[in-house]
Amino acid sequence: MEAQVENAIEIASNPSADRNLKSQALEFISQLPSQAESQRICLSLFIREPRCSEVVRHTALDVLDNVVASGRLNISTLTLIRENLMSYARTTYCNVAQNQATVDSPNLQNKLAQTFTFLFVTLYPSEWLSYFGDILALTSSSGASTKDHAPGVVFFLRVLIQIHDEIADVFLSRTPEERKKGNELKDLIRERDAKTIANSWQEILLQWKAKDSKIIELCLATIGRWVSWIDISLIITETLRDQLHELVISSSPHANGPFAVRETALTTLTEILRKKMNPDYKLGLLEFLKIRDVVAHLVSSPALADLRSTSQYDTDLAESVGQLVNHSLSDIVRALESADDQNPIMMQAVSQLKGFLPLVLRFFSDEYDEICSTVIPCLSDLLTLFRKREKSNAMIHEQSMAMLAPILDAIVMKMRYDETSSWGNEDAQTDEAEFQDLRKRLHVLQQTIAAVDPSLYQDKLSVVVISTFENFQRDASRVDWRDLDLAMHEMFLFGEQGLKTGGLYHKSKPTTLAAERLIGMMFKLVETDVASSMHPAVQLQYMEICVRYYHFFDANPQFISATLERFIQIVHHDHVKVRTRSWYLFHRFVKHVRQHLGDIAQTVIQALSDLLPIKAEVPDEVSDNSDMSSNEDQQSPSARFDSQLYLYEAIGCICSARGVLVENQVVYIRTVIGPLFSDFEVHLGPAKNGDELAVMQVHHLIMALGTLARGFSDWTPASTSPAATPPANEVSEEFSRCSEAILVALESVSVSTEVIRHAARFAFSRLVGVLGSRILPQLPRWIEGLLSRTSSKDEMALFMRLLDQVVYGFKTEIFDILNTLLTPLLQRVFTGIAEPATGTDDEIQLAELKREYLSFLLVILNNSLEAVLVSEANQAGFANVISTIEHLAKDASDFPTAKLAFTVLCRMVTTWGGPDVQVGSPQPTLPGFDRFMMERFSPLCWSLPSQPNFDPKDAQGKQAMGEAAGLQKAIYTKTGEQYLNFLRTGELSGMGMDPGTVDEYLRALSVSDAKAFKQYFQNLVQRSKR
């Protein structure tokens, strides 16, 4: 059997073995833990001489681990395994004459340590009380009192690490039983062996500090793990502290290099500081460990001082020390949080805070962002403390006043691009993204300071911004672009203070002191002509600031013309990032200051004429797993065209400005759309023949026409805002030509029509605002083109949403057209609803189409157009409308749609049910509708909950039932006693409801208000489904 197991492991690990044979071997090995003799076989394979191959021994131990951990072995068997493994360990790791080559590999040592750990978990509580003593004995040569045997020392430390990971690692998920077992084992270790283990670490460090740095590293790593859960006094003695200091500070070389040891020692100190304890104890620990002295020594060492500005700067060391400083200051802050003025801890914490702050700022201001980031958490903690307690605690207030200024200075300087950075370089995209992320984190710190001391923040930022602009005005060539970028970035962020009340001005006066400071910065920005800087980052920041603080230009329109000139220069920039972003910002700026623009349209159109020609490109096929960066995405043809559309919308805004005469508006429209129409004529023919590039060109031209229309008018039909007025008739006439051109394209191009339909749908929604009721005669053609036989459910739903807006906007004028097109429109929708869904996406689109169809019916009913549903032209299709609604109301797989269907039915009852009936007979406005709604609508309220898949506890299902209750209440309101008799003698008794429940139900329906009946009906449905 032993040979069979060995052979199976060899086959399973052989990459060239036959696949079927390998599969059988793996299956055989997986069954080993459940076999009775597996522990004996695997133990023998591991300890046998001559040794098996490493993979066989490793797998044997793995199977043995599974068997031991399973808990099915008796104590005698476990003891036998323990004795055999200890005998092997003594022979392998504790024999002075042992040849080092026979010691197991590190990988196999770790595996054996894991096996010893499983034995520890099982036997240590009552059977193997000498566990740690037995393994610790491996560390000494025969008769020696020191830990002088390297293989034994290493194995002992590996076992300790494995034990920690098994019972105390907080990052591992454990069951409650496993946590309880781990806590019990930790308690036993603390009681029995913690002191011995802690002393062994000091002995190992003393024995090996000048001999083997790998052992030192392993010992320090073990201390760093165990310190979190054993008594700190056992570990942190003067001896260990001095050893740690020596390892951290000493620069003498070790056998395997001193730097890794120093890094591990720093990590160990950091782990010691992570240990949870009372804040006053932690302050004492900081003082005892002399952390500040250690850090100060390292900061002044050549590695972190003399070499700081060279390529030999030890960034790894700086990062480790930064983390140590971060934990130290965080502990001090926690002590300050828990103390008050009368508490001696306060004085102690303040003293340590003063000592650590310069060290924190040293690492915070480091050129390397990774090092700076190590201390941001503790700075955030400190500033948060100042914000919370500086007003309630005099001592904290005093410290905040003294410390905020240097912290703010350091934050502002860290916001600056460093000297090696290059903005917009494609090769530095990752560095740029990381720096912008750092800026966001720094901004949070700045805002906290602003909350603590607004005056300090405003004074400092004002000086930074104003002085930089003045230096630029005196001699632009001597101002680094990084300084300009810093000033403008801070000016942009300053808006969170300056715009707190929503704007810069109130009745021509600054709203706040911060707003006044910001207005002063804006004057300097435009007067010093910072935008004349040739650096793209500065130019883009200039545009961002002008757009954000457009209120300034509302109050100072004299600066708009010069600013607009700078914008037009920047939109022609060669850098793709500047060009695409600037087109959007140009549009935003123009839209904000539109009311102050005179008749400058001709000048702007001429200045932008080279940017307006549209040149489509066929998009590349991008696979789902493609890794396209954001910068590459910005340079894609689609992204460039999307940005180009902003220019068309901006031109629309400028051409329709208040000071432009109508006849000039017409001229400007023709100037812009003329080239687009010519391009239409060139590409429409090839597009009809299926030319993919021509189809994309037509798509882009349609989008441009729609976007130009959007810029021309903010008015929407049925708008009551006095600020938004419909365009002049002459302007609407010009855009009618655009609409006609789009319809021709929509009707002509039969290949790739989805692309054209997308653009046409986009344009249609924007043309409504400039055409007004002129679009109504064209509506049948729009529907014919946008709801073709090949239209997807998603396209239908989107267009139905657009029709909702048209019906609402033109409710007084649309009846005749809607009367003509309703039946063919609904037939296409019914066809889409009837098609089965073929996947998850299709199911989502189908549900959306159903809801848009119901919403469309609601819009008709809510806008007094209900007559169109039962007119002579559409009466034949009314039965289909009702049956479709009934079907959707009974669909228990889509509660939101069912709820909406009940809402539509309720609205029909309200619309056609006639006046409310107190006594007497119903008087419906549609003859016979009283019987119709009782016989057709009322049973639906019970059809939904009677579905097999209906869940009465589902929240959306309860909402649907609430709408069903509302429908019944509406029917009762219109029919009165007739409905009660109908329910008593027909519907409820036919359902098998007992007479008592029927009486209770009818009483609730007739007496309760709508809210109470809704609750009653929902509860009744829940009871009936039990």
Side-chain angles (χ1 to χ4, degrees):
M1 183 66 176
E2 188 174 311
Q4 188 179 2
V5 172
E6 181 178 5
N7 189 39
I9 296 174
E10 293 286 7
I11 293 172
S13 62
N14 185 355
S16 60
D18 178 77
R19 181 178 298 179
N20 293 330
L21 193 60
K22 191 171 186 178
S23 177
Q24 293 175 27
L26 289 170
E27 178 64 23
F28 175 77
I29 295 170
S30 68
Q31 298 298 323
L32 277 177
S34 61
Q35 296 186 14
E37 292 296 307
S38 58
Q39 71 275 3
R40 180 189 59 77
I41 295 169
C42 291
L43 179 62
S44 176
L45 285 173
F46 177 74
I47 65 177
R48 190 180 73 189
E49 292 290 347
R51 293 181 176 180
C52 303
S53 67
E54 182 159 329
V55 67
V56 171
R57 301 180 73 213
H58 190 285
T59 305
L61 279 181
D62 194 48
V63 174
L64 188 60
D65 289 347
N66 288 328
V67 175
V68 171
S70 68
R72 62 183 178 84
L73 297 182
N74 56 39
I75 294 299
S76 61
T77 304
L78 290 170
T79 303
L80 181 62
I81 295 172
R82 157 199 159 184
E83 291 172 351
N84 278 275
L85 289 180
M86 276 305 304
S87 176
Y88 170 83
R90 292 187 187 98
T91 303
T92 305
Y93 298 107
C94 193
N95 187 342
V96 175
Q98 183 72 33
N99 189 326
Q100 189 71 19
T102 64
V103 174
D104 295 322
S105 68
N107 183 45
L108 204 54
Q109 286 184 46
N110 282 330
K111 191 61 186 174
L112 180 59
Q114 189 176 41
T115 305
F116 269 91
T117 299
F118 286 124
L119 290 171
F120 161 82
V121 170
T122 305
L123 298 176
Y124 182 70
S126 57
E127 302 299 328
W128 196 356
L129 277 62
S130 62
Y131 180 91
F132 289 104
D134 291 348
I135 299 178
L136 188 58
L138 302 176
T139 64
S140 302
S141 303
S142 299
S145 59
T146 58
K147 308 295 184 287
D148 63 341
H149 193 60
V153 170
V154 170
F155 183 70
F156 169 68
L157 294 172
R158 291 185 192 277
V159 170
L160 293 184
I161 289 175
Q162 290 283 357
I163 288 175
H164 165 84
D165 293 347
E166 178 66 24
I167 68 173
D169 191 338
V170 296
F171 296 106
L172 293 180
S173 177
R174 293 181 173 86
T175 65
E177 293 76 15
E178 289 172 336
R179 285 196 297 272
K180 181 182 177 183
K181 178 70 172 178
N183 291 333
E184 291 172 350
L185 288 169
K186 286 188 286 185
D187 289 340
L188 288 174
I189 292 174
R190 295 184 189 109
E191 179 184 336
R192 297 174 183 172
D193 296 299
K195 186 174 182 179
T196 301
I197 294 169
N199 289 339
S200 72
W201 293 331
Q202 297 181 24
E203 295 174 17
I204 290 170
L205 292 176
L206 183 64
Q207 177 73 30
W208 295 96
K209 67 179 180 180
K211 299 177 182 177
D212 193 326
S213 63
K214 293 297 182 183
I215 290 179
I216 299 298
E217 284 182 59
L218 197 59
C219 184
L220 292 173
T222 307
I223 295 172
R225 282 172 164 84
W226 279 58
V227 72
S228 64
W229 55 276
I230 63 174
D231 188 350
I232 191 74
S233 64
L234 297 177
I235 301 177
I236 306 305
T237 62
E238 289 188 9
T239 301
L240 182 64
R241 179 197 63 189
D242 294 342
Q243 288 174 330
L244 287 172
H245 285 188
E246 183 179 354
L247 293 172
V248 169
I249 294 172
S250 175
S251 58
S252 60
H254 296 285
N256 296 312
F259 302 117
V261 170
R262 183 176 58 189
E263 294 290 320
T264 308
L266 283 169
T267 302
T268 302
L269 281 173
T270 302
E271 291 299 325
I272 291 171
L273 292 182
R274 284 178 183 268
K275 184 175 178 64
K276 295 180 181 179
M277 58 178 69
N278 291 334
D280 52 341
Y281 293 160
K282 187 61 72 73
L283 290 180
L285 182 63
L286 283 171
E287 289 187 353
F288 179 79
L289 291 175
K290 300 179 181 179
I291 298 295
R292 185 194 171 284
D293 295 341
V294 171
V295 174
H297 179 90
L298 290 171
V299 166
S300 61
S301 67
L304 298 186
D306 301 343
L307 302 177
R308 182 174 178 181
S309 300
T310 71
S311 60
Q312 295 177 296
Y313 181 45
D314 193 340
T315 56
D316 291 335
L317 174 61
E319 198 167 340
S320 296
V321 179
Q323 291 169 351
L324 182 61
V325 170
N326 177 69
H327 285 287
S328 300
L329 187 65
S330 292
D331 288 331
I332 295 170
V333 170
R334 278 189 282 274
L336 288 169
E337 287 176 341
S338 63
D340 52 41
D341 284 344
Q342 308 304 320
N343 195 322
I345 296 176
M346 176 65 73
M347 297 295 296
Q348 183 183 7
V350 167
S351 174
Q352 293 201 24
L353 176 61
K354 292 177 180 177
F356 269 97
L357 185 63
L359 300 174
V360 172
L361 296 181
R362 150 66 181 87
F363 290 99
F364 181 76
S365 60
D366 198 280
E367 176 184 356
Y368 290 89
D369 295 343
E370 298 85 353
I371 298 170
C372 166
S373 297
T374 60
V375 295
I376 287 180
C378 71
L379 265 182
S380 178
D381 292 343
L382 178 61
L383 294 175
T384 301
L385 171 72
F386 288 161
R387 179 172 58 82
K388 289 180 177 179
R389 298 197 60 191
E390 65 96 19
K391 291 182 180 178
S392 61
N393 189 298
M395 190 170 293
I396 290 179
H397 173 75
E398 179 184 346
Q399 297 308 313
S400 70
M401 292 301 99
M403 295 179 178
L404 285 179
I407 294 174
L408 181 58
D409 289 340
I411 293 172
V412 171
M413 290 311 300
K414 195 60 193 174
M415 286 274 196
R416 185 181 184 272
Y417 278 96
D418 62 48
E419 299 298 331
T420 61
S421 58
S422 55
W423 188 92
N425 190 333
E426 289 189 14
D427 296 332
Q429 291 179 37
T430 302
D431 292 341
E432 173 71 16
E434 290 174 350
F435 178 64
Q436 293 305 326
D437 182 66
L438 176 63
R439 272 187 164 180
K440 292 177 183 177
R441 299 172 67 190
L442 296 174
H443 173 53
V444 174
L445 299 180
Q446 267 193 182
Q447 289 306 108
T448 309
I449 292 177
V452 177
D453 192 343
S455 297
L456 172 67
Y457 174 80
Q458 294 169 19
D459 291 344
K460 173 64 180 178
L461 270 295
S462 296
V463 169
V464 170
V465 174
I466 299 296
S467 62
T468 303
F469 290 168
E470 289 177 344
N471 292 339
F472 181 82
Q473 189 176 28
R474 282 193 293 269
D475 188 354
S477 63
R478 301 188 65 176
V479 178
D480 194 314
W481 72 267
R482 297 170 181 83
D483 295 320
L484 272 179
D485 173 82
L486 171 64
M488 298 177 78
H489 180 69
E490 291 288 11
M491 182 177 173
F492 185 87
L493 298 180
F494 197 88
E496 295 193 12
Q497 296 291 310
L499 298 177
K500 269 188 175 180
T501 59
L504 293 175
Y505 296 92
H506 178 67
K507 295 182 179 180
S508 302
K509 299 291 184 182
T511 53
T512 61
L513 179 59
E516 185 177 349
R517 294 286 185 88
L518 190 52
I519 291 168
M521 296 179 198
M522 285 299 298
F523 272 112
K524 278 294 181 184
L525 177 74
V526 295
E527 289 171 352
T528 56
D529 195 21
V530 173
S532 63
S533 169
M534 299 306 295
H535 197 277
V538 175
Q539 293 179 331
L540 206 53
Q541 281 275 32
Y542 173 82
M543 295 184 76
E544 298 276 6
I545 289 172
C546 290
V547 169
R548 184 172 198 189
Y549 306 132
Y550 70 89
H551 306 90
F552 171 81
F553 296 97
D554 287 337
N556 302 278
Q558 68 272 21
F559 293 114
I560 292 178
S561 179
T563 303
L564 207 53
E565 287 181 19
R566 284 299 183 194
F567 270 48
I568 290 176
Q569 292 173 8
I570 298 172
V571 297
H572 286 85
H573 203 284
D574 292 335
H575 197 290
V576 63
K577 183 176 178 180
V578 176
R579 186 166 62 248
T580 53
R581 179 65 179 171
S582 67
W583 292 351
Y584 166 74
L585 293 171
F586 176 73
H587 151 257
R588 286 282 308 277
F589 183 73
V590 165
K591 194 168 185 179
H592 286 316
V593 302
R594 179 180 187 173
Q595 60 179 332
H596 302 294
L597 297 176
D599 194 349
I600 61 171
Q602 188 65 42
T603 304
V604 173
I605 292 173
Q606 290 177 354
L608 299 179
S609 59
D610 59 320
L611 301 178
L612 295 180
I614 292 173
K615 186 177 180 181
E617 296 181 40
V618 178
D620 296 330
E621 291 293 330
V622 181
S623 61
D624 293 337
N625 60 349
S626 64
D627 185 17
M628 177 180 284
S629 70
S630 59
N631 192 61
E632 290 171 338
D633 191 45
Q634 288 177 358
Q635 299 180 42
S636 68
S638 175
R640 289 198 300 272
F641 173 66
D642 289 343
S643 297
Q644 190 179 22
L645 289 178
Y646 289 118
L647 294 178
Y648 278 91
E649 186 168 350
I651 288 174
C653 290
I654 294 172
C655 293
S656 60
R658 186 178 300 172
V660 183
L661 298 175
V662 172
E663 52 266 31
N664 289 343
Q665 291 185 28
V666 172
V667 172
Y668 301 149
I669 295 172
R670 291 174 179 172
T671 302
V672 177
I673 68 175
L676 300 180
F677 281 179
S678 299
D679 217 0
F680 256 121
E681 294 175 359
V682 171
H683 291 91
L684 197 55
K688 290 180 183 178
N689 296 326
D691 185 296
E692 193 174 359
L693 181 59
V695 169
M696 286 304 301
Q697 185 72 13
V698 172
H699 166 275
H700 285 15
L701 294 171
I702 294 173
M703 298 277 283
L705 290 174
T707 305
L708 180 68
R710 168 68 176 270
F712 244 89
S713 176
D714 292 330
W715 175 79
T716 56
S719 173
T720 58
S721 172
T725 57
N729 288 333
E730 295 88 339
V731 171
S732 295
E733 186 62 37
E734 291 303 315
F735 281 107
S736 290
R737 296 171 55 214
C738 298
S739 179
E740 182 62 31
I742 295 170
L743 285 169
V744 169
L746 193 59
E747 293 163 348
S748 302
V749 180
S750 58
V751 180
S752 300
T753 50
E754 185 175 352
V755 174
I756 303 300
R757 289 198 301 269
H758 167 267
R761 191 166 53 248
F762 172 91
F764 174 81
S765 65
R766 287 151 179 80
L767 284 169
V768 171
V770 290
L771 293 181
S773 59
R774 289 174 181 267
I775 204 169
L776 295 180
Q778 296 177 335
L779 202 53
R781 295 172 64 192
W782 281 104
I783 293 175
E784 182 68 26
L786 292 175
L787 293 183
S788 71
R789 290 189 179 89
T790 59
S791 294
S792 67
K793 297 179 181 64
D794 189 44
E795 288 183 80
M796 291 184 186
L798 289 171
F799 187 64
M800 294 291 289
R801 200 174 302 156
L802 291 177
L803 280 182
D804 290 348
Q805 300 172 17
V806 174
V807 172
Y808 173 76
F810 301 108
K811 52 190 171 187
T812 59
E813 305 161 271
I814 201 173
F815 183 89
D816 291 338
I817 293 174
L818 188 60
N819 191 45
T820 302
L821 59 82
L822 183 65
T823 294
L825 169 66
L826 293 183
Q827 284 175 347
R828 296 193 181 185
V829 174
F830 294 156
T831 302
I833 292 175
E835 291 176 357
T838 56
T840 303
D841 291 343
D842 205 28
E843 288 177 357
I844 294 172
Q845 292 179 9
L846 177 59
E848 188 67 23
L849 176 59
K850 292 174 181 177
R851 287 192 281 271
E852 288 302 331
Y853 158 67
L854 294 171
S855 297
F856 179 66
L857 295 178
L858 269 181
V859 169
I860 291 175
L861 294 168
N862 289 336
N863 288 282
S864 303
L865 293 168
E866 64 276 1
V868 77
L869 292 171
V870 291
S871 68
E872 186 177 349
N874 300 304
Q875 195 170 27
F878 185 64
N880 287 336
V881 172
I882 296 297
S883 61
T884 306
I885 299 173
E886 290 175 330
H887 172 74
L888 298 178
K890 295 186 289 187
D891 187 358
S893 65
D894 186 359
F895 286 133
T897 300
K899 175 188 172 185
L900 192 56
F902 280 117
T903 303
V904 174
L905 294 173
C906 192
R907 184 61 188 168
M908 286 182 172
V909 169
T910 305
T911 301
W912 288 314
D916 294 352
V917 173
Q918 300 295 331
V919 291
S921 301
Q923 301 175 12
T925 55
L926 276 182
F929 192 72
D930 52 339
R931 296 298 303 177
F932 184 82
M933 57 189 179
M934 286 190 290
E935 294 173 357
R936 295 286 295 272
F937 293 178
S938 180
L940 294 173
C941 301
W942 296 99
S943 296
L944 178 61
S946 65
Q947 299 297 316
N949 58 336
F950 178 82
D951 181 4
K953 296 181 180 179
D954 186 284
Q956 292 182 326
K958 291 182 68 175
Q959 291 177 353
M961 286 295 91
E963 289 298 317
L967 175 60
Q968 294 175 81
K969 196 70 176 174
I971 296 173
Y972 170 73
T973 302
K974 299 300 181 183
T975 58
E977 196 66 31
Q978 274 194 18
Y979 185 42
L980 297 181
N981 292 332
F982 172 81
L983 291 173
R984 184 186 300 276
T985 60
E987 185 173 321
L988 297 182
S989 58
M991 291 166 47
M993 188 178 292
D994 64 87
T997 306
V998 171
D999 291 339
E1000 176 190 295
Y1001 181 86
L1002 297 180
R1003 186 165 52 252
L1005 177 61
S1006 59
V1007 176
S1008 304
D1009 60 19
K1011 183 177 180 181
F1013 180 70
K1014 172 182 174 181
Q1015 184 65 48
Y1016 170 81
F1017 184 66
Q1018 290 173 335
N1019 292 338
L1020 180 63
V1021 169
Q1022 284 194 348
R1023 292 201 307 267
S1024 67
K1025 295 293 286 186
R1026 288 173 184 168

